[in-house]
Amino acid sequence: MSAAGLRPHRGIDPRGPRFGAAVTAALLASVVVLGPGPVGLTLLAVVVASFALGAVGGVTRTWQGRLYGVVLRPRLRPPTDLEAPEPPRFAQLVGLVITGVGLAVALLGAPVAATVAAAIALVAAFLNAVFGLCLGCEMYLLGRRLRPAR
Amino acid sequence: MDTPQRLLAVLALLGLVSALAVLVRSRRGRLVRGRGPVTAAGLVTAVGAPLPPTGAVVQLSTRWCSACPGAARVWRRAATDAGADFHEIDVTERVDLARDLDVLSTPTTLLVAADGSIRGRVVGAPDARRAREAVAVLTTQQPGPTRRAA
């Protein structure tokens, strides 16, 4: 078992996902504060759609990622380090599942699910933005260990 | 709940999460001795190379681990400076090994002596100083008193 395949050649600016997480955290905080009314649920749907873009195409394909690439990155110094795009993409998938289920359950008649899901995703996005701690990435091995080995 | 209460709840949640994150981060990257198994049958096989007399630094990574590439660079330098080998094992599909070694998150780095015994482990990415201090357990002749994780 070698580490071959762990390091793809392409890399992304690690500040991109953190900026995206900050934008997402602000949206999710608004969802929690506004409550599961029409405005709150619409904002949550925007977040779900953004996570879907990130889960399919990677964080650089989300509108937050594009915003970073077009507006912020040209004004910053070049990154000292590039990071692998797979971990943040996996985290986007985790975010998509949590917020997607919350939105679906809210629309099916239990509005509190929107607030709960937004709060859980808010914690993850906040930790990523402020502390650089990627909860979705950390959960991968834990999740695999809880399931029986294939 | 009305909006001011929801706002207070969000602020309280983020305050609590920040406190926990600071606590977790302060414990990251530190050498812990006496936690987890001292040997694991699959470890030396997974390293795939004979261990030199000074032992080896073995980092367990996954493809979804955002902190792993940076940590690997720090460990490689610290190990090379101390005359020890550095190996990185991809445990993305090796849940069995992660379970045997009691590894919950990546990067987890093991300080492995020449006889294959684990002298200590470091969870999370260390800075250069902590990595150097951790590698020193391989070069000290007598294993010190076992200190449990506080």
Side-chain angles (χ1 to χ4, degrees):
Chain A
M1 193 67 197
S2 75
L6 269 176
R7 303 281 174 268
H9 290 297
R10 67 221 160 87
I12 57 171
D13 185 342
R15 297 167 299 183
R18 283 184 73 167
F19 168 77
V23 175
T24 307
L27 285 175
L28 288 165
S30 309
V31 172
V32 177
V33 172
L34 292 170
V39 182
L41 288 181
T42 306
L43 278 181
L44 185 58
V46 169
V47 173
V48 172
S50 313
F51 276 141
L53 284 175
V56 172
V59 275
T60 50
R61 296 288 169 87
T62 61
W63 59 271
Q64 300 98 315
R66 289 182 192 278
L67 192 65
Y68 174 79
V70 172
V71 178
L72 281 167
R73 185 165 176 176
R75 290 156 208 266
L76 300 173
R77 291 179 189 191
T80 51
D81 235 351
L82 295 178
E83 77 172 5
E86 284 86 358
R89 183 171 161 183
F90 175 74
Q92 294 277 309
L93 180 65
V94 176
L96 172 64
V97 171
I98 292 170
T99 53
V101 168
L103 182 64
V105 174
L107 292 174
L108 288 172
V112 71
T115 303
V116 173
I120 294 170
L122 169 61
V123 168
F126 177 80
L127 282 175
N128 193 352
V130 178
F131 296 97
L133 196 69
C134 179
L135 220 53
C137 314
E138 304 251 340
M139 278 167 51
Y140 178 77
L141 198 58
L142 197 61
R144 280 295 306 270
R145 279 196 52 184
L146 293 176
R147 269 183 290 155
R150 281 184 292 185
Chain B
M1 276 203 291
D2 52 14
T3 304
Q5 279 176 315
R6 285 174 170 273
L7 186 60
L8 278 179
V10 166
L11 293 176
L13 177 69
L14 295 184
L16 185 69
V17 165
S18 300
L20 284 173
V22 168
L23 189 70
V24 165
R25 205 160 59 164
S26 72
R27 297 166 58 128
R28 284 286 168 89
R30 280 200 183 152
L31 178 71
V32 176
R33 301 175 77 167
R35 202 192 82 188
V38 176
T39 55
L43 178 62
V44 177
T45 320
V47 166
L51 297 169
T54 34
V57 176
V58 180
Q59 176 178 314
L60 306 183
S61 304
T62 60
R63 285 201 288 279
W64 318 116
C65 165
S66 55
C68 287
R73 273 192 293 277
V74 173
W75 281 119
R76 185 181 294 281
R77 172 168 285 256
T80 307
D81 288 351
D85 278 5
F86 174 77
H87 296 283
E88 191 175 8
I89 302 176
D90 180 1
V91 293
T92 310
E93 301 298 335
R94 289 294 309 272
V95 183
D96 56 323
L97 191 59
R99 191 177 286 126
D100 288 350
L101 290 166
D102 196 18
V103 168
L104 288 174
S105 66
T106 53
T108 290
T109 303
L110 307 170
L111 288 312
V112 185
D115 62 359
S117 66
I118 299 166
R119 291 281 182 85
R121 62 168 61 201
V122 175
V123 178
D127 58 24
R129 185 181 55 84
R130 282 182 173 176
R132 244 191 341 265
E133 288 168 5
V135 173
V137 297
L138 290 175
T139 46
T140 48
Q141 289 297 314
Q142 294 292 321
T146 300
R147 184 167 59 84
R148 289 204 70 88

